[in-house]
């Protein structure tokens, strides 16, 4: 078993077909079939079941797939470290929460690309839980998520503290506490998809304080959430940085949203940058982290305690 065998095996797993794997590897199908058979003989177990001319991965195959991914990623990291030394270049796969990408990253990404033109930056947005999983499985090199994140395989670095806001339509009466909200009757919630930390914070708070929830609707963009809330359909919990234009800061008469106080334990959220400990050496990721610190400013100890 060598890296070539593992790369061939991973391609079959990803494609679900020897034929498509052969096309992707630019070789003939018989070569892939033979190499797969030899790999199975070497390991002494079947990696796929052949059912109605389809390949179905076996438990042993699933086990090998995990090791193959880790070994191939480690080999890629070793190759990159030797070839590129400490120069930021190559592909950087960055994940981010939707709100962070919209409110914090445009200027950072523009500056980073000017400073490091040899880095190909790819940005993927998703809820925190999904981003954490993608970093753990090496689908992302780093991600900006809601902290704190404590995991034995992850490193993290604080990036920015966000003020969290409870929002409603501008014509709602003031909501000073959970009791005021409960008196309105069951409320509808507008949030990001399951796995979003702001969504979980809102649910936990309302359930803890006995506020009845009528229903919840999930969206993939903060514009859709803010639009529904501004229309008077319900409430949401979001970083304050994304709602400035909706508050009528330049012209209060044009405000479409209203901000209400939240409990102290919900008032602030720290965004952190996470990466896998097994991929400790990655100059492009380090350069991006440095760019974040330079443009967003260092956190004070009191802000992240």
């Amino acid at each position: 078993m060598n890296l070539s065998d593992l790369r061939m095996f991973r391609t079959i797993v990803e494609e679900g077909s020897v034929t498509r794997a052969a096309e992707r590897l630019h070789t003939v199908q018989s070569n892939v079939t033979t190499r797969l058979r030899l790999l199975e003989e070497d390991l002494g177990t079947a990696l796929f079941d052949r059912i109605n001319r389809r390949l179905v991965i076996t438990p042993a195959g699933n086990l090998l797939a995990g090791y193959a991914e880790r070994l191939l990623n480690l080999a890629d990291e070793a190759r990159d470290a030797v070839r590129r030394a400490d120069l930021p270049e190559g592909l950087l796969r960055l994940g981010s929460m939707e709100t962070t990408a919209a409110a914090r990253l445009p200027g950072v990404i523009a500056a980073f690309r000017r400073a490091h033109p040899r880095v190909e930056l790819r940005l993927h947005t998703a809820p925190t839980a999904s981003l954490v999983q993608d970093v753990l499985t090496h689908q992302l090199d780093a991600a900006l998520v809601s902290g704190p994140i404590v995991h034995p395989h992850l490193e993290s670095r604080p990036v920015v503290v966000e003020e969290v806001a409870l929002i409603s339509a501008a014509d709602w009466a003031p909501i000073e506490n959970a009791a005021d909200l409960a008196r309105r009757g069951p409320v509808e919630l507008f949030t990001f998809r399951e796995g979003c930390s702001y969504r979980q914070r809102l649910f936990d708070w309302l359930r803890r304080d006995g506020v009845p929830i009528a229903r919840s609707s999930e969206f993939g963009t903060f514009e859709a959430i803010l639009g529904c809330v501004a229309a008077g359909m319900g409430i949401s919990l979001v970083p304050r940085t994304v709602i400035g234009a909706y508050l009528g800061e330049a012209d209060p008469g044009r405000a479409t949203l209203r901000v209400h106080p939240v409990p102290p334990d919900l008032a602030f959220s720290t965004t952190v940058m996470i990466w896998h400990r097994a991929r400790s050496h990655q100059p492009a990721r380090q350069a991006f982290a440095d760019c974040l610190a330079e443009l967003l400013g260092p956190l004070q100890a009191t802000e992240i305690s």
Side-chain angles (χ1 to χ4, degrees), residues 23-181:
E23 293 173 354
R24 182 169 153 187
L25 294 169
H26 305 292
T27 187
V28 295
Q29 179 178 339
S30 59
N31 183 34
V32 175
T33 300
T34 299
R35 290 175 61 193
L36 176 58
R37 177 178 56 80
L38 292 174
L39 179 60
E40 290 178 320
E41 290 177 356
D42 179 50
L43 294 173
T45 187
L47 300 174
F48 296 94
D49 289 324
R50 282 73 171 173
I51 302 175
N52 295 328
R53 302 183 67 182
R54 292 177 58 249
L55 289 182
V56 178
I57 196 166
T58 64
N62 269 319
L63 184 61
L64 179 62
Y67 280 104
E69 189 69 25
R70 288 152 58 189
L71 288 167
L72 290 171
N73 277 318
L74 187 60
D76 289 342
E77 182 179 353
R79 186 178 296 109
D80 289 344
V82 171
R83 288 179 176 176
R84 298 189 175 101
D86 292 322
L87 297 177
E89 60 181 43
L91 176 62
L92 177 62
R93 302 165 300 171
L94 178 69
S96 173
M97 297 178 290
E98 175 77 21
T99 49
T100 302
R104 300 290 186 181
L105 290 188
V108 175
I109 290 177
F112 178 77
R113 283 178 167 160
R114 287 194 299 270
H116 304 287
R118 296 179 65 85
V119 176
E120 179 188 352
L121 176 62
R122 295 182 187 173
L123 180 63
H124 169 69
T125 60
T128 287
S130 177
L131 294 172
V132 170
Q133 186 60 30
D134 285 347
V135 172
L136 285 171
T137 57
H138 303 284
Q139 303 305 303
L140 292 173
D141 299 309
L144 299 173
V145 300
S146 181
I149 298 295
V150 179
H151 192 284
H153 298 314
L154 295 178
E155 297 281 1
S156 67
R157 172 176 177 173
V159 173
V160 67
V161 173
E162 299 285 6
E163 182 181 357
V164 178
L166 175 69
I167 57 172
S168 72
D171 58 1
W172 278 37
I175 300 169
E176 297 297 332
N177 49 48
D180 286 346
L181 191 55

Side-chain angles (χ1 to χ4, degrees), residues 3-27 32 35-36 39 48 55 57 64-65 68-69 72:
L3 291 178
S4 177
D5 292 334
L6 294 178
R7 193 168 288 107
M8 176 272 300
F9 169 70
R10 183 176 66 175
T11 303
I12 297 174
V13 172
E14 292 173 347
E15 296 294 336
S17 161
V18 168
T19 301
R20 290 195 295 272
E23 293 173 354
R24 182 169 153 187
L25 294 169
H26 305 292
T27 187
V32 175
R35 290 175 61 193
L36 176 58
L39 179 60
F48 296 94
L55 289 182
I57 196 166
L64 179 62
E69 189 69 25
L72 290 171

Side-chain angles (χ1 to χ4, degrees), residues 135 140-143 153-157 273-282 285-286 289:
V135 172
L140 292 173
D141 299 309
H153 298 314
L154 295 178
E155 297 281 1
S156 67
R157 172 176 177 173
M273 181 175 178
I274 62 170
W275 62 93
H276 202 294
R277 285 184 175 175
R279 296 180 65 84
S280 58
H281 181 83
Q282 195 171 19
R285 184 194 65 224
Q286 182 60 49

Side-chain angles (χ1 to χ4, degrees), residues 251-268:
D251 182 0
R254 298 175 65 87
T256 58
L257 291 177
R258 184 169 194 160
V259 173
H260 308 274
V262 296
D265 59 323
L266 297 179
F268 295 94

